[in-house]
Amino acid sequence: QVQLVQSGAEVKKPGASVKVSCKASGYTFIDSDINWVRQAPGHGLEWMGWMNPNSGNTGYAQKFQGRVTMTGDTTLSTASMELSSLTSEDTAVYYCARGGGPMVNFAFDIWGQGTMVTVS
Amino acid sequence: DIGMTQTPLSLSVTPGQPASISCKSSQSLLHGNRKTYLYWYLQKPGQSPQLLIHEVSSRFSGVPDRFSGSGSGTDFTLKISRVEAEDVGVYYCMQGRHLPYTFGQGTKLEIK
């Protein structure tokens, strides 16, 4: 079945970087964008950016510009999101989500299980 | 950034009764291609968000027909015709028309 499986929880110190991976299966990885969304404890959803696995093109929310890098490895069907200069405000669950294409109006139709990143 | 304002922020509903959530955007979500990039997601307790509705009113595969979406421009509504116990969670609207994409604050649905 179509799924996104993310890497495990991370604990990082302030100032460090974290890299979260998202392995796609059940569909052709290069056919769909991968978006990253985060959710701080007890808070709502915040879109961080997107990456096109075919072209490598990316688009980041201005809030994260200069601090986030989204990449894809087509040989492994895996997307990654690296966030640097971490502070306690980056403590959150990070989700990858597939951009579903025109049939679903480009909605995020498949989500990973989430990766908890704790900065402490 | 486009503001997405949901009301109410919480809802307590008796099973079998209807529920309605409003979502208002600070700018129109209608694109020149005549598509409106407004989605609804449900995040059940302890789970990842899941897609319910795309393009304002189209139910995603497997979503029960008790869920319906409506609206245009800047005003949108999600309705549940008869709430069931499995519908508990937080409902989010999201706009995909303008970068950065933005979500509403979420509406928590509880069962009475």
Side-chain angles (χ1 to χ4, degrees):
Chain A
Q1 74 279 26
V2 178
Q3 61 178 353
L4 299 171
V5 178
Q6 298 182 222
S7 49
E10 302 263 13
V11 178
K12 296 292 182 181
K13 293 193 181 302
S17 297
V18 68
K19 190 170 187 176
V20 178
S21 67
C22 169
K23 183 169 177 61
S25 61
Y27 74 98
T28 302
F29 180 60
I30 60 172
D31 285 352
S32 302
D33 291 348
I34 294 290
N35 292 266
W36 290 88
V37 175
R38 76 177 186 178
Q39 184 172 38
H43 286 74
L45 302 170
E46 179 177 33
W47 180 80
M48 301 178 68
W50 63 269
M51 185 274 301
N52 180 286
N54 187 41
S55 63
N57 290 344
T58 56
Y60 305 139
Q62 189 164 8
K63 174 177 181 176
F64 301 102
Q65 287 274 3
R67 216 163 58 92
V68 70
T69 304
M70 297 177 186
T71 56
D73 184 331
T74 57
T75 63
L76 297 177
S77 296
T78 298
S80 296
M81 185 282 299
E82 184 169 20
L83 189 63
S84 63
S85 303
L86 294 170
T87 72
S88 59
E89 309 232 317
D90 295 314
T91 294
V93 176
Y94 289 76
Y95 295 101
C96 59
R98 185 179 79 163
M103 292 299 290
V104 290
N105 194 217
F106 300 95
F108 302 167
D109 62 347
I110 303 295
W111 293 66
Q113 84 276 21
T115 296
M116 182 70 214
V117 175
T118 303
V119 183
S120 177
Chain B
D1 296 2
I2 304 301
M4 302 293 287
T5 303
Q6 288 183 229
T7 54
L9 297 183
S10 66
L11 213 45
S12 183
V13 182
T14 301
Q17 293 301 302
S20 180
I21 301 169
S22 169
C23 175
K24 296 184 189 300
S25 59
S26 60
Q27 290 186 33
S28 174
L29 304 184
L30 176 64
H31 193 278
N33 63 8
R34 290 196 254 176
K35 293 186 181 295
T36 301
Y37 293 85
L38 185 282
Y39 319 107
W40 290 96
Y41 296 89
L42 165 59
Q43 186 172 32
K44 294 184 177 182
Q47 296 186 18
S48 303
Q50 58 189 76
L51 177 63
L52 292 177
I53 301 280
H54 59 91
E55 201 174 348
V56 179
S57 58
S58 297
R59 277 187 303 278
F60 186 49
S61 174
V63 175
D65 60 8
R66 64 177 181 275
F67 290 93
S68 64
S70 63
S72 63
T74 60
D75 287 359
F76 306 94
T77 302
L78 176 72
K79 291 184 178 176
I80 310 173
S81 58
R82 296 172 305 280
V83 170
E84 297 188 5
E86 66 181 23
D87 300 336
V88 297
V90 182
Y91 291 79
Y92 294 94
C93 59
M94 176 197 148
Q95 66 84 17
R97 171 65 181 87
H98 306 275
L99 290 172
Y101 303 144
T102 47
F103 293 87
Q105 318 96 300
T107 296
K108 186 173 185 178
L109 175 66
E110 298 178 329
I111 299 295
K112 278 185 185 174

